[in-house]
Amino acid sequence: MRTFDGQSSTNYSRTRPMYPAELYYWLSQQVNSPGVVWDCACGTGQASVDLAAYFEQVEASDISESQVTAATPHRKVNYQVCPAEKTHYPDNYFDVVCVAHALHWFDLKAFWEELRRVLKPGGVFVCWGYNWLQVGEAEDKAIAESVLPLLAPYWPPQSRLLWNQYNDIEFPFELMDVPAFELNCYWSVTQTLEFIRSWSASQLRIQDRGDDFLLDASPILREVWSEPNQKQEIHLPFFVKAGRVL
């Protein structure tokens, strides 16, 4: 299911949070040499460019041509359009393979086979994601009451894997101990609503019935926003799964 092609790739990139730099540093320390990394399902290259600060070469791919076309250029990042489950990368090529906030969309059986083919023996696979957002008691209540009930019929079944932090996924390797990382950002009401607009369920509802639900939610959220017209800290529950593929 390609639920993100219907929205502007620029809007998707602008509304999504940047991942913690500490994660990339930790990842670079898990391999003997910071060689080649694959950013699989790279979207518009949010993780790709940051990975380039820690690895010698970044191969970045996504199934969406519009996302790749809008990706941020970088001299160490090579973008291409292809599915995660079937690529043209050489055997035993990557030191690290990472998937940022996208593993729940994959055909996992086919992807695990591709992963074993392209990852070097002893290489590291890592995936991460976040679910929901936490602003404050009043703001969270407003979102829960004015937005979430309208989105309930539109959530793809894959979203439940994300909500449960991929604990329902059977990984074909032993998981590593991973430090805890925080994902926080500072957003205004408008940025928060644009983030909600980028959700897969929101995109499906917009395609079906328009975006009136966001327009209706805006004054409700603004009324309870603790500092009107100001940005405030948003916490996104963040998790990381990683393993060494022998």
Side-chain angles (χ1 to χ4, degrees), residues 35-117:
V36 187
V37 58
W38 176 22
D39 181 15
C40 179
C42 65
T44 55
Q46 287 173 285
S48 311
V49 172
D50 287 341
L51 285 165
Y54 297 90
F55 291 87
E56 295 172 0
Q57 180 182 346
V58 180
E59 294 291 338
S61 68
D62 199 279
I63 195 172
S64 169
E65 183 175 357
S66 65
Q67 294 274 319
V68 172
T69 299
T72 303
H74 192 284
R75 63 181 180 84
K76 292 169 64 176
V77 181
N78 178 42
Y79 293 103
Q80 66 175 280
V81 179
C82 67
E85 301 85 355
K86 186 174 179 59
T87 73
H88 298 293
Y89 298 127
D91 295 351
N92 304 321
Y93 185 55
F94 294 108
D95 298 281
V96 173
V97 172
C98 64
V99 179
H101 200 69
L103 188 68
H104 48 292
W105 298 116
F106 292 2
D107 176 342
L108 288 174
K109 183 177 184 298
F111 176 69
W112 297 139
E113 293 177 1
E114 185 70 353
L115 175 69
R116 289 190 178 280
R117 185 185 70 78

Side-chain angles (χ1 to χ4, degrees), residues 155-170:
W155 286 110
Q158 296 94 328
S159 296
R160 299 191 179 281
L161 295 173
L162 184 67
W163 298 341
N164 201 30
Q165 300 190 347
Y166 294 167
N167 290 324
D168 296 328
I169 291 178
E170 184 175 345

